[in-house]
Amino acid sequence: MSTATVSRALSSPDRVSEDTRARVFRAVEQTGYTLNQAARSLRQRNSRTILVALPDIGNTFFSVVLDAIEREAVLRGYSVLVANRFAGHDSGRRLHEYFLSNRADGLLLLDGSVPLESLLALAAPPAGVPLIMACEDIACAPFHSVRTDNEFAAEVATRHLIGLGHRGIGHIRGPDGNVLTEEREAGYRRALTAAGIAIRPEWILPAGFDMQQGLAAAERYMALSSRPSAMFAANDETAIGFLSGLRQHGLDCPRDVSVVGFDDLAFAAHFWPPLTTMRQPREALGRIAAEALIDLIEGEPRRRVPRHTVLSSELIIRGSTRAFAPASQRPAPVV
Amino acid sequence: MSTATVSRALSSPDRVSEDTRARVFRAVEQTGYTLNQAARSLRQRNSRTILVALPDIGNTFFSVVLDAIEREAVLRGYSVLVANRFAGHDSGRRLHEYFLSNRADGLLLLDGSVPLESLLALAAPPAGVPLIMACEDIACAPFHSVRTDNEFAAEVATRHLIGLGHRGIGHIRGPDGNVLTEEREAGYRRALTAAGIAIRPEWILPAGFDMQQGLAAAERYMALSSRPSAMFAANDETAIGFLSGLRQHGLDCPRDVSVVGFDDLAFAAHFWPPLTTMRQPREALGRIAAEALIDLIEGEPRRRVPRHTVLSSELIIRGSTRAFAPASQRPAPVV
DNA sequence: AAGGGAAATGCAATCGATTACATGCAGCCA
DNA sequence: TGGCTGCATGTAATCGATTGCATTTCCCTT
């Protein structure tokens, strides 16, 4: 029996006779044969592997998205390569190395800070690498994308605080240069403006997406001469760090300050106080992005028009927000 | 110029003349050539890729370890494939598919519940796949491993509670069938026994490694007719869920119960109360495991004697533990 | 100038699966 | 029986980089 027949028996069983098929399967079973993926990749010019590039796997937000991506990929018969801390001076070169080399058939990019020109070069012929941006989109980039409606969600979060009677509402910003930072701040501003509340720039505290920065933001908050009674934090980690910092200064949430986060990490519900937050559908983000990428890889002909999928976030009200009460009406602090 | 020369210029630059080398590099630059990894893998019978198999990427413990693994791997010129939710009825088959197929050169297994026989088959000739177990070891398995001294760390954690004057000390167990569960419980028992404290089996609450199970453990705790004044939780997530559950019943930590966790997740320090816990050196675990695996892959001849690296954990004392005080001496609950 | 040796390069086989094309074979109809 | 159809299988080229071996080039020595 020739190798050609064996190959056909394994990859398109209905093209060989029943007898042959049975013999091949039996032989495979007995000898423990597995096909050499490298040889197949070389010949077929694909690898049935996707590359997921993200800024920080260690961050629980991304790791849950990655979880969903991996699950969907395996379902569709793909392996998952991860590239962590992707953005950086050499991200263009790294992209180049991963593709045009039959290592991965497509790129799932969870990092909006990769230089657009590298991506354009990658997605354009002759490389023509299928590419999906997820979570962090690059504005106006001509790629398919899957994300949440950050601006609207931020507006909803801020409106929630307004609805509770707060008028002094500050914002803890994400890292500079991140799309999400801008979108969430824009939503925050929009909500205030719509409610006729003036924006006080000194109440927009620079921070980042991690707890340390949230902690630092608490210091800035304490240093304010006049302090807002509520804060909308760019994400849950920042909110948690901020609350932790407030506590060190003897302030209590929600008695003294109401705080809304963003993401609804698993920890948010068990934190004290349980965090009011905008839930991002992280599993759905990952799953839909992976689906879209694999469709793009397998689809013929390639869909040219970028499709932007926008998922919505959900306000989860917990204990970290409460109706505004003037300082005089608040219970005395417990010592 | 022949392809052979080009190949040599790129992979061992000192074997060609300076002139040729310069011409090759210039041509590579101009044409944007990248080598086809599949072809190289086919010829060299390796893939410069490692497979990391873990039970749950979404879990922040593992994702931080994975972060360190990826960093080390990239440093050594390796790519990282991830296989999530690895243990399962088909884990043997999945292992089989990944290896003997030139997809990965070695396996970094973070999951102690994969059937030992599959692993033995994989590691034995003819496959002879380099394999390192990390975090969760399998007792007596003949593989290199990198882990923390769980039993001793659990003993230290429990001793800390004993040192604070607690005599009623319970334990929130990890998931059944997990090595870590057994090791940590053993350390807990050892500390109590050494201190001459009788073990009360009803104070060893079954749970698991996640917050939901910790929450459920709080219910079991509340249902006890006589309750211990301190608990050692199998990990931080469990501890956090447990504390969250206690709060719902109006109990306060550390006033009513002291709690020690395990892992020192990033959230532990910012939780309220800040969690006393055994810090696992997660970055070191990941880095050392990746180093060991790549050494094993590249080492010739293969080292036959399994080497077990045991890292130590560190007790981080924070606010969730406090000296024992009889109920009568505790401040009255605040309403 | 001839010869020797080392360095540089070319030639061609090789890795293993896939696949276009050729061949073989059975069954069927006229 | 001859020829046609269509399925099953075999043959051999192919993917692209690597590498053992052969050959060329170049330099140095005598």
Side-chain angles (χ1 to χ4, degrees):
Chain A
M1 184 178 307
S2 76
T3 62
T5 305
V6 175
S7 174
R8 278 186 286 252
L10 293 176
S11 54
S12 42
D14 47 339
R15 284 175 40 82
V16 300
S17 73
E18 193 173 339
D19 177 49
T20 312
R21 200 184 318 149
R23 275 163 56 211
V24 169
F25 286 148
R26 190 154 10 96
V28 164
E29 194 70 29
Q30 282 174 8
T31 61
Y33 164 90
T34 21
L35 101 160
N36 185 316
Q37 188 63 38
R40 167 182 276 185
S41 293
L42 177 59
R43 179 65 224 243
Q44 295 194 328
R45 321 184 128 273
N46 69 29
S47 58
R48 293 194 74 78
T49 297
I50 62 173
L51 176 67
V52 182
L54 25 67
D56 183 7
I57 314 181
N59 182 306
T60 176
F61 176 83
F62 288 111
S63 70
V64 171
V65 175
L66 180 58
D67 188 329
I69 291 170
E70 202 265 358
R71 193 187 326 220
E72 180 68 21
V74 167
L75 230 53
R76 303 273 298 254
Y78 281 72
S79 301
V80 176
L81 272 175
V82 300
N84 195 24
R85 284 167 222 297
F86 201 73
H89 64 286
D90 64 342
S91 51
R93 190 178 54 69
R94 290 177 68 192
L95 281 173
H96 196 69
E97 282 181 8
Y98 269 109
F99 295 97
L100 292 98
S101 72
N102 252 350
R103 253 148 113 128
D105 298 338
L107 172 63
L108 195 35
L109 186 58
L110 305 186
D111 191 329
S113 55
V114 174
L116 182 55
E117 58 189 26
S118 314
L119 299 179
L120 289 172
L122 195 71
V129 174
L131 190 164
I132 300 270
M133 304 216 51
C135 302
E136 302 187 4
D137 204 357
I138 294 181
C140 307
F143 309 119
H144 299 259
S145 71
V146 182
R147 55 193 212 87
T148 49
D149 186 347
N150 286 287
E151 183 169 338
F152 181 67
E155 194 180 339
V156 168
T158 311
R159 279 212 302 250
H160 166 62
L161 294 170
I162 296 170
L164 288 171
H166 292 277
R167 288 300 172 270
I169 300 174
H171 175 45
I172 309 175
R173 256 171 69 91
D176 289 342
N178 187 300
V179 224
L180 305 181
T181 299
E182 304 307 329
E183 292 179 356
R184 291 176 193 172
E185 179 177 336
Y188 158 78
R189 287 172 176 269
R190 192 132 63 101
L192 291 189
T193 305
I197 301 173
I199 287 159
R200 298 181 53 168
E202 74 275 19
W203 284 358
I204 299 180
L205 309 176
F209 279 152
D210 57 72
M211 287 181 282
Q212 280 310 317
Q213 307 252 26
L215 203 65
E219 297 305 317
R220 297 203 182 85
Y221 176 84
M222 296 307 298
L224 291 172
S225 53
S226 150
R227 301 200 283 252
S229 67
M231 298 295 289
F232 163 53
N235 77 352
D236 282 356
E237 285 207 32
T238 316
I240 286 173
F242 181 74
L243 289 176
S244 171
L246 285 191
R247 235 180 258 119
Q248 292 173 11
H249 285 280
L251 288 194
D252 180 79
C253 169
R255 192 197 61 206
D256 304 307
V257 196
S258 284
V259 174
V260 182
F262 203 109
D263 282 350
D264 194 27
L265 302 182
F267 291 96
H270 297 279
F271 196 71
W272 187 255
L275 206 59
T276 295
T277 189
M278 296 303 302
R279 173 180 294 166
Q280 288 209 62
R282 291 179 290 168
E283 288 79 7
L285 279 169
R287 179 172 43 76
I288 292 173
E291 274 175 7
L293 180 60
I294 295 172
D295 286 346
L296 195 59
I297 290 169
E298 298 183 344
E300 285 300 344
R302 293 281 152 74
R303 285 179 239 124
R304 296 235 149 251
V305 185
R307 184 190 310 184
H308 301 286
T309 304
V310 178
L311 306 180
S312 49
S313 300
E314 183 188 357
L315 175 65
I316 306 292
I317 299 175
R318 299 202 183 94
S320 68
T321 51
R322 123 171 1 164
F324 172 72
S328 59
Q329 294 180 20
R330 289 179 207 153
V334 178
V335 184
Chain B
M1 185 180 303
S2 75
T3 62
T5 305
V6 174
S7 173
R8 277 187 285 253
L10 293 175
S11 54
S12 43
D14 48 338
R15 286 176 40 82
V16 301
S17 72
E18 193 173 338
D19 177 50
T20 313
R21 201 185 317 149
R23 276 163 54 211
V24 169
F25 285 150
R26 191 155 9 96
V28 165
E29 195 71 27
Q30 283 174 7
T31 61
Y33 165 89
T34 20
L35 104 161
N36 185 314
Q37 187 63 39
R40 166 180 277 186
S41 293
L42 176 59
R43 178 66 226 239
Q44 295 194 329
R45 320 182 128 273
N46 68 29
S47 58
R48 293 194 74 77
T49 298
I50 62 173
L51 176 67
V52 181
L54 24 67
D56 183 6
I57 313 182
N59 181 306
T60 175
F61 176 83
F62 289 111
S63 70
V64 170
V65 175
L66 180 58
D67 188 328
I69 291 170
E70 202 266 358
R71 193 186 328 219
E72 181 67 20
V74 167
L75 230 54
R76 303 273 299 256
Y78 280 72
S79 301
V80 176
L81 271 174
V82 300
N84 196 23
R85 282 167 223 297
F86 200 74
H89 65 286
D90 64 343
S91 52
R93 191 178 52 71
R94 290 177 67 191
L95 282 173
H96 195 68
E97 282 181 9
Y98 269 110
F99 295 97
L100 293 96
S101 73
N102 252 353
R103 253 148 113 128
D105 298 338
L107 172 63
L108 195 35
L109 186 58
L110 306 186
D111 191 328
S113 53
V114 174
L116 182 55
E117 57 190 27
S118 314
L119 299 178
L120 289 172
L122 195 70
V129 174
L131 189 164
I132 301 269
M133 305 216 53
C135 302
E136 302 186 3
D137 204 358
I138 295 181
C140 307
F143 308 119
H144 299 258
S145 70
V146 181
R147 54 193 213 87
T148 49
D149 185 347
N150 285 288
E151 182 169 338
F152 181 67
E155 194 180 337
V156 169
T158 310
R159 278 211 302 249
H160 166 63
L161 293 170
I162 296 171
L164 287 171
H166 292 277
R167 288 299 173 270
I169 301 175
H171 175 46
I172 309 174
R173 256 172 71 91
D176 288 341
N178 187 300
V179 222
L180 305 181
T181 299
E182 304 307 330
E183 292 180 356
R184 292 178 192 170
E185 179 176 337
Y188 157 80
R189 286 170 176 270
R190 191 133 60 103
L192 291 189
T193 304
I197 301 174
I199 288 160
R200 297 180 54 167
E202 74 275 21
W203 284 357
I204 300 179
L205 310 176
F209 279 151
D210 57 71
M211 287 181 282
Q212 281 311 318
Q213 306 252 26
L215 204 66
E219 297 305 318
R220 297 204 183 87
Y221 176 85
M222 295 308 298
L224 290 172
S225 53
S226 149
R227 300 200 283 252
S229 67
M231 298 295 288
F232 164 54
N235 77 352
D236 283 356
E237 284 205 33
T238 315
I240 286 173
F242 180 73
L243 289 176
S244 172
L246 286 192
R247 235 181 257 118
Q248 293 174 10
H249 285 279
L251 288 195
D252 180 79
C253 170
R255 193 196 60 205
D256 304 307
V257 196
S258 284
V259 173
V260 182
F262 204 112
D263 283 349
D264 193 27
L265 302 182
F267 291 96
H270 298 278
F271 195 71
W272 188 254
L275 205 60
T276 295
T277 188
M278 296 304 301
R279 174 180 294 166
Q280 288 210 63
R282 290 178 291 167
E283 288 80 7
L285 279 169
R287 179 171 43 76
I288 292 173
E291 274 175 6
L293 180 60
I294 296 173
D295 286 348
L296 195 60
I297 290 169
E298 298 182 345
E300 284 300 342
R302 292 281 153 74
R303 286 179 238 124
R304 296 235 151 250
V305 183
R307 184 189 310 185
H308 301 285
T309 304
V310 179
L311 305 180
S312 49
S313 301
E314 183 188 0
L315 175 65
I316 306 292
I317 299 175
R318 299 204 184 93
S320 67
T321 50
R322 131 175 348 168
F324 172 72
S328 57
Q329 292 179 24
R330 289 181 208 151
V334 179
V335 185

